[in-house]
Structures are given as structure tokens and as C-alpha cells.
């Protein structure tokens, strides 16, 4: 059993005084309020900064369609869709990462490590290759993500869900699907290559309201399902024997949770392409600052994902000396050392003396 599973099962098994639970709820609420305030600041920066700098009051009025037509055009058609896409994708990646890590009791389980985002990118690029309307990209990305999950299940469950096997199979699936995406991009005509480029690195450039509404509407349904299934996830945390004794069909519950997490990650990838690090790191940070997983910390994880992805996109747009970099470059740069640290920790033997 991994360090993550040992810690979470101890926290769930211990009765704990009601005062400790109340303190965690207050801490989670406080952190959630801080996240909302930080999101408001980042949203304000997203709509006010750029080649055309606008005062906050002017930009926020333009956001609702008031003011100079040129300012309204810049804010509503260029800055706002990109900003909302970052928020929607960040929430989806954060919640999907938290669900997968709890479901597999594995801190390395995230959509980008397990191949889900690579599968979503593959589905989107196949859609572009066929010349089908880009409004169907969320559907294609979802199909690609489910394909990656199917491949992971076929090759990863032969000997049970071990940490090493799961990570290795996930990395292999991710690499194989990324290679297929790169091959199709190279073979594309020049006019399609630029449209497909984001599916190799992850980018928020050029998002439109049509794409945001399509993916965002489906994301809202998937998030509703994620919170509706949270009680089953909490029961699974107790172990299969205890969950079965409480009347839960563990196999059906795992399948429902896995499909929901894959759907969230795939819809996020439909907006951004394969963005790394967000789904991997945010659940760990939330667990560190807010304590054991609850429904409240799942909300906090979604907010944290939105904060991280929007902040990374603002860094890409305004702070880096090289213009036009995709946001996936920044998140991958942060994610590589994080993944290395987690894998080193996973290789250490678990101290069972206190278990």
C-alpha cells in the first residue's frame, strides 16, 4: 500500500473529535474564500492586461458589453474566452486528479501520467484530420480519453493495480498516443498544422465562446456527477471489505468514478490540449494545507486547479520574454521535477510499524 493510502486510511479510520472535524471545515472554508479572492484578482488581470491596457473598471464594464465597442470586442471576444477556458479546464483537471489519486490510492495517478490527456488530444486531432466541425471537439476528446482508459485497463489490470505497473503502462499509453498525434500533425496540410499544434503541447490560444460553452456545459454535468459520487469514493477509502460490508458494489462504483474522472480530464483537454502538472500537483497541495479528503476539499481542489492554470497562462502571456509559448510548456516545466520527487518517494519502503 502506498504512503498516500496509509495516511488517508489512518485519517479515515481514526474516530477523531468533532472539534478536529470542525477545525478542518473552517480551514477549508477559509482557504476556499482565499482561492475565490485570488481568482477574482487573476480574472481582473486577465481582462485588463495586454497590448491594450485597460483600467479594471473599464475592462469589467466591457466584459458585460458596456463601453467603447473596440474595448468590448477585445475583452469579450479575445480575452474572456481564453480566461474562462482556463478556469473551466483548471477545475476539471484538479477534480479529475483528486478522484484518480483516491480511486487508485496512488499519488502518481493523474490524467497526464495515465495517458488520459494524451488520448483526448488524439481524439481531437483525428477530428481535425477528418475535416469535421470543430464544435464536436469535446465529443472527440472524450472518446479519445475513454480509449486511453480502455488501453490502461487492458494492459494495467492483468496483475492487479500495482503502483509501478499502473504508472509504467500509463506513461507508455501517453507516449504512444502522443507519437500518433505528432505523426498526424506532421502529415497535415499547412493550414491544418497550426490548428493541431496545441494538441502536442497544450495551449489556450484562440479559444472561442463556442468551444467554451460546449466543453463547459458538459463539464458542469460531469462535475455534478463527481460530487454525487463522492460518498461512494469515501466508502471505497475504507477498503474493499468494509465497503462491501456496507452494501457498496465496489466494481461498479470504481467504474462510475473512473468514467467520471476520465470525462472531466478529457473535456479539459478539449479546451487546452495535454496540459501537465495541474491534475498531478493540486490534489497534493490541497491535502497538505487542508487535511484529509472531504467534499469540501474536492471543491477546494477544483478552485486550486483554476488558480494554477489561469496563473500559468498569465505568466505565458505577459511575463516570459518569448511570446506565443503554450501554457503547457510552463506547467510541464513545473511538473517534471514534481513527478521526479513523487516517484522517488514512491520507491521508498513504507514504514508499517505505526500502521
Amino acid at each position: 500500500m502506498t504512503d498516500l493510502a496509509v495516511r488517508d486510511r489512518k485519517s479515515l479510520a481514526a474516530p477523531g473529535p468533532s472539534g478536529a472535524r470542525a477545525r478542518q471545515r473552517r480551514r477549508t472554508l477559509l482557504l476556499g474564500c482565499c482561492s475565490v479572492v485570488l481568482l477574482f484578482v487573476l480574472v481582473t488581470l486577465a481582462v485588463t492586461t495586454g497590448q491594450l491596457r485597460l483600467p479594471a473598471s473599464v475592462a469589467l464594464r466591457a466584459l458585460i458589453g458596456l463601453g467603447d465597442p473596440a474595448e468590448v470586442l477585445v475583452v469579450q471576444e479575445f480575452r474572456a474566452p481564453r480566461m474562462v477556458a482556463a478556469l473551466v479546464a483548471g477545475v476539471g483537471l484538479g477534480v479529475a486528479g483528486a478522484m484518480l489519486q483516491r480511486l487508485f490510492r496512488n499519488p502518481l495517478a493523474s490524467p497526464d501520467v495515465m495517458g488520459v490527456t494524451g488520448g483526448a488530444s488524439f481524439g481531437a486531432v483525428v477530428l481535425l484530420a477528418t475535416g469535421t466541425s470543430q464544435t464536436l471537439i469535446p465529443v472527440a476528446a472524450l472518446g479519445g480519453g475513454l480509449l486511453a482508459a480502455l488501453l490502461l485497463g487492458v494492459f494495467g489490470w492483468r496483475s492487479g493495480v500495482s503502483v509501478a505497473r499502473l504508472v509504467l503502462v500509463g506513461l507508455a499509453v501517453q507516449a504512444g498516443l502522443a507519437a500518433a498525434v505528432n505523426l498526424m500533425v506532421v502529415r497535415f496540410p499547412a493550414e491544418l498544422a497550426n490548428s493541431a499544434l496545441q494538441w502536442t503541447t497544450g495551449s489556450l490560444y484562440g479559444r472561442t465562446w463556442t468551444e467554451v460553452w460546449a466543453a463547459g456545459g458538459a463539464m458542469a454535468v460531469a462535475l455534478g456527477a463527481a460530487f454525487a459520487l463522492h460518498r461512494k469514493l469515501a466508502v471505497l477509502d475504507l477498503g474493499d471489505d468494509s465497503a462491501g460490508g456496507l452494501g457498496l458494489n465496489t466494481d461498479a462504483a470504481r467504474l462510475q468514478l473512473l468514467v467520471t474522472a476520465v470525462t472531466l480530464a478529457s473535456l479539459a483537454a478539449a479546451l487546452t490540449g495535454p496540459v501537465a502538472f495541474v491534475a498531478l500537483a493540486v490534489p497534493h497541495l490541497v491535502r497538505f494545507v487542508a487535511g484529509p479528503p472531504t467534499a469540501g476539499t474536492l471543491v477546494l481542489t477544483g478552485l486550486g486547479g483554476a488558480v494554477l492554470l489561469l496563473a500559468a497562462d498569465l505568466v505565458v502571456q505577459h511575463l516570459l520574454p518569448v511570446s506565443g509559448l503554450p501554457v503547457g510548456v510552463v506547467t510541464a516545466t513545473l511538473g517534471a521535477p514534481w513527478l521526479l520527487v513523487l516517484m522517488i518517494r514512491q520507491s521508498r519502503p513504507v514504514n508499517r510499524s505505526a500502521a
Side-chain angles (χ1 to χ4, degrees):
M1 187 179 294
T2 65
D3 292 333
L4 174 64
V6 170
R7 288 195 301 270
D8 285 351
R9 291 194 67 178
K10 283 182 179 178
S11 63
L12 289 164
S18 58
R21 292 193 293 270
R23 286 194 297 272
Q24 184 187 10
R25 286 195 294 268
R26 288 195 296 268
R27 183 167 61 248
T28 302
L29 180 60
L30 176 61
L31 290 169
C33 293
C34 292
S35 298
V36 171
V37 171
L38 183 54
L39 273 178
F40 180 78
V41 172
L42 292 174
V43 166
T44 303
L45 290 173
V47 297
T48 57
T49 55
Q51 291 185 348
L52 175 63
R53 292 184 175 274
L54 299 172
S57 58
V58 173
L60 293 177
R61 291 181 72 247
L63 188 61
I64 59 175
L66 301 177
D68 184 84
E71 296 170 346
V72 172
L73 176 66
V74 169
V75 172
Q76 285 195 343
E77 299 302 323
F78 297 104
R79 295 179 182 176
R82 181 167 182 161
M83 176 264 295
V84 176
L87 297 179
V88 171
V91 170
L93 289 172
V95 174
M99 292 180 68
L100 289 174
Q101 288 176 15
R102 288 183 68 186
L103 183 60
F104 291 105
R105 298 172 186 171
N106 179 359
L108 295 175
S110 72
D112 41 305
V113 173
M114 297 171 63
V116 174
T117 54
S121 299
F122 176 78
V125 171
V126 169
L127 182 78
L128 291 173
T130 61
T132 309
S133 172
Q134 295 190 22
T135 57
L136 295 177
I137 281 182
V139 178
L142 176 58
L146 292 173
L147 172 64
L150 178 62
L151 292 174
L152 186 68
V154 170
F155 296 108
W157 259 276
R158 290 182 177 179
S159 302
V161 187
S162 68
V163 172
R165 187 179 184 87
L166 184 69
V167 173
L168 290 175
V169 172
L171 290 174
V173 170
Q174 180 83 358
L177 292 172
V181 169
N182 288 330
L183 178 62
M184 285 188 288
V185 170
V186 169
R187 298 296 299 273
F188 271 171
E191 61 271 15
L192 289 178
N194 289 334
S195 298
L197 185 61
Q198 67 161 312
W199 305 109
T200 64
T201 54
S203 174
L204 288 162
Y205 177 77
R207 297 281 67 80
T208 65
W209 282 119
T210 300
E211 295 169 330
V212 170
W213 284 119
M219 183 77 76
V221 175
L223 285 170
F227 285 98
L229 292 170
H230 180 267
R231 186 177 297 274
K232 292 184 179 181
L233 187 57
V235 174
L236 285 173
D237 284 337
L238 301 174
D240 286 2
D241 293 339
S242 299
L246 292 173
L248 181 67
N249 185 332
T250 56
D251 291 336
R254 280 198 177 88
L255 180 60
Q256 292 170 350
L257 290 162
L258 178 61
V259 170
T260 302
V262 168
T263 300
L264 288 168
S266 300
L267 292 172
L271 288 173
T272 65
V275 172
F277 179 67
V278 177
L280 179 67
V282 172
H284 290 277
L285 295 174
V286 170
R287 191 179 300 112
F288 177 75
V289 299
T294 63
T297 61
L298 192 62
V299 174
L300 186 59
T301 303
L303 292 173
V307 167
L308 179 57
L309 188 55
L310 182 55
D313 191 48
L314 290 174
V315 169
V316 164
Q317 292 184 73
H318 307 299
L319 296 183
L320 294 183
V322 181
S323 62
L325 281 178
V327 69
V329 172
V330 173
T331 58
T333 301
L334 295 172
W338 186 277
L339 178 60
L340 180 62
V341 170
L342 285 178
M343 294 190 73
I344 291 174
R345 291 187 61 188
Q346 283 295 106
S347 66
R348 295 175 181 171
V350 179
N351 182 8
R352 300 180 185 274
S353 61

